[in-house]
Amino acid sequence: MGKKSIKVGNIVLVKNDLGEEKIARVLNVSRSSESVIVIYLDSDFSDLYMDTVSLLNCSLYENTKVD
């Protein structure tokens, strides 16, 4: 199976320099600069902000349900 690519609208995990991961939605993808613009999703929607991050720091969020 091929690698899934990150597209506009995807939910991704963004890893920062400290190794912490945050959930974000992709707003724009720039393949030429290998970066994405994301808006971070906070559980209570009190702290929403946008950021430009490297594609290397993003991975697709896989929502796995545990029974």
Side-chain angles (χ1 to χ4, degrees), residues 26-44:
V26 177
L27 300 178
N28 191 27
V29 178
S30 173
R31 300 285 177 204
S32 60
S33 64
E34 297 182 352
S35 64
V36 292
I37 297 174
V38 297
I39 187 164
Y40 291 99
L41 305 175
D42 193 346
S43 60
D44 61 0

Side-chain angles (χ1 to χ4, degrees), residues 7-53:
K7 300 175 185 166
V8 172
N10 284 146
I11 303 294
V12 294
L13 286 175
V14 179
K15 188 178 282 190
N16 65 15
D17 295 336
L18 301 174
E20 302 167 336
E21 292 182 329
K22 291 187 177 184
I23 298 174
R25 180 176 297 274
V26 177
L27 300 178
N28 191 27
V29 178
S30 173
R31 300 285 177 204
S32 60
S33 64
E34 297 182 352
S35 64
V36 292
I37 297 174
V38 297
I39 187 164
Y40 291 99
L41 305 175
D42 193 346
S43 60
D44 61 0
F45 298 104
S46 63
D47 186 25
L48 296 178
Y49 62 96
M50 293 189 307
D51 195 8
T52 302
V53 295

